[in-house]
Amino acid sequence: MIQPVRLALALVLAWGAATPAVAAPVERADRKRSVVVASSPADALPVVRVAHDTPTLFLFPAPINRKTLTFDESRIRVLDAGERSVIVQPVADLPEGERYEVGVFFADGRAPARAAFSLVTDPAEVDTRIDVQRPELTDMACPVDVPRTPRPEDFVLLGFVDKEGVTATLIKPYDDASQGFSIVSAIAYRGQGWVLVDATIRNHPGRSIWEPREAVLTGRAGLPLRARLVTVEAGEIVPGGSGRILAVAEVNQLSASPVFTLEMVGDGRMLTIPNVRLPKVASGGTP
């Protein structure tokens, strides 16, 4: 009677030795830390460790534009987005080697304009709270915002393009001999809440170097529209040379196909571009 008992005990021990042990789930260590957002498109995104069973809270040092929040909905859930906070949680632990970006624009537009993070899953740690820090501009830095290369979705998220699309009209070449300018080519664009004139200007030989500093669009009725100027490459246009200048104005409402005069003032001379016909608003999303 003793032998069967010994045999059964031996079989149990043998079975236990042959069956691989099931590893107990490892509990991840919670971490709260600060990260600095990338200051330029060339910088690597800060890495944040996330887990499917733990929400991760991002606290921002300035208000964010929640409409510009971008993420992969198939992998990441946004549980909440506030004026200065975002809470995310992956649908499932991210496989090893996979990273997913979460990004949002700051509301003030100051550089760096966008905060973006690379999300990964770490078997040992998870970030439960991230205090986002924004690098300050150095004394040598240019105060103009230089964000990463824009993506198509940015224009929609920021509200510059909607279902109405963008429309455009050509502006006839124009020569202003009295002031020493020629309009080589120009085109007017209109989108959601904005108009833009893109002009290539030639400074006549024998004239002084010219750089535009102020711009105004004046219509047949209503108040003038003050525009901001964006120069492409060098700001100054040398005698006999050409330069490309963009004049951008923010608008709420415009009458259908209004005709404006664009005036650019700088360095003792004023460039006038007459008959700037701003495009009609598109209908049905067709430019």
Side-chain angles (χ1 to χ4, degrees):
M1 295 297 294
I2 299 177
Q3 289 182 351
V5 175
R6 290 178 176 176
L7 178 59
L9 180 58
L11 289 174
V12 171
L13 293 175
W15 178 262
T19 303
V22 177
V26 178
E27 184 176 352
R28 293 184 174 94
D30 295 346
R31 294 286 183 257
K32 298 177 178 66
R33 60 192 182 94
S34 299
V35 300
V36 180
V37 300
S39 58
S40 74
D43 295 342
L45 298 181
V47 175
V48 174
R49 298 159 297 194
V50 296
H52 79 284
D53 58 354
T54 305
T56 297
L57 168 65
F58 291 87
L59 292 177
F60 296 89
I64 58 175
N65 188 341
R66 287 172 286 183
K67 295 189 301 181
T68 67
L69 189 62
T70 54
F71 58 97
D72 186 339
E73 294 185 7
S74 67
R75 292 292 193 177
I76 306 297
R77 289 193 300 259
V78 172
L79 305 182
D80 184 66
E83 183 181 6
R84 291 178 179 242
S85 64
V86 174
I87 302 175
V88 304
Q89 191 171 3
V91 175
D93 283 347
L94 305 179
E96 183 178 358
E98 289 192 15
R99 299 188 175 204
Y100 292 90
E101 180 178 321
V102 169
V104 67
F105 280 89
F106 287 102
D108 59 13
R110 184 176 62 81
R114 185 172 183 264
F117 312 91
S118 182
L119 305 188
V120 301
T121 293
D122 188 300
E125 296 180 336
V126 58
D127 294 317
T128 57
R129 171 171 165 168
I130 296 294
D131 291 311
V132 180
Q133 294 184 354
R134 206 172 179 187
E136 295 292 333
L137 293 174
T138 64
D139 293 338
M140 298 300 294
C142 176
V144 178
D145 181 17
V146 185
R148 62 156 172 69
T149 301
R151 299 173 182 173
E153 63 266 28
D154 295 337
F155 299 100
V156 175
L157 292 170
L158 290 170
F160 297 143
V161 177
D162 63 2
K163 62 184 178 64
E164 305 294 349
V166 176
T167 54
T169 56
L170 292 173
I171 299 172
K172 293 181 180 180
Y174 175 74
D175 186 77
D176 186 354
S178 63
Q179 294 292 320
F181 298 111
S182 295
I183 308 304
V184 179
S185 63
I187 188 168
Y189 297 91
R190 183 173 180 178
Q192 174 59 30
W194 57 269
V195 293
L196 182 151
V197 176
D198 180 357
T200 298
I201 299 165
R202 183 172 182 267
N203 189 9
H204 290 181
R207 295 284 186 162
S208 60
I209 295 174
W210 186 75
E211 180 178 2
R213 304 189 185 279
E214 296 182 2
V216 174
L217 281 161
T218 304
R220 295 174 179 173
L223 296 175
L225 295 175
R226 183 168 296 278
R228 59 185 175 86
L229 291 171
V230 179
T231 56
V232 180
E233 297 180 352
E236 297 179 340
I237 305 177
V238 299
S242 299
R244 184 183 178 191
I245 300 173
L246 310 180
V248 189
E250 296 181 359
V251 295
N252 293 323
Q253 291 183 340
L254 286 175
S255 58
S257 298
V259 177
F260 283 79
T261 297
L262 175 60
E263 296 175 331
M264 302 185 193
V265 180
D267 297 333
R269 285 186 289 161
M270 181 173 69
L271 168 64
T272 301
I273 306 178
N275 300 320
V276 176
R277 185 172 293 274
L278 298 178
K280 296 180 180 179
V281 174
S283 177
T286 303

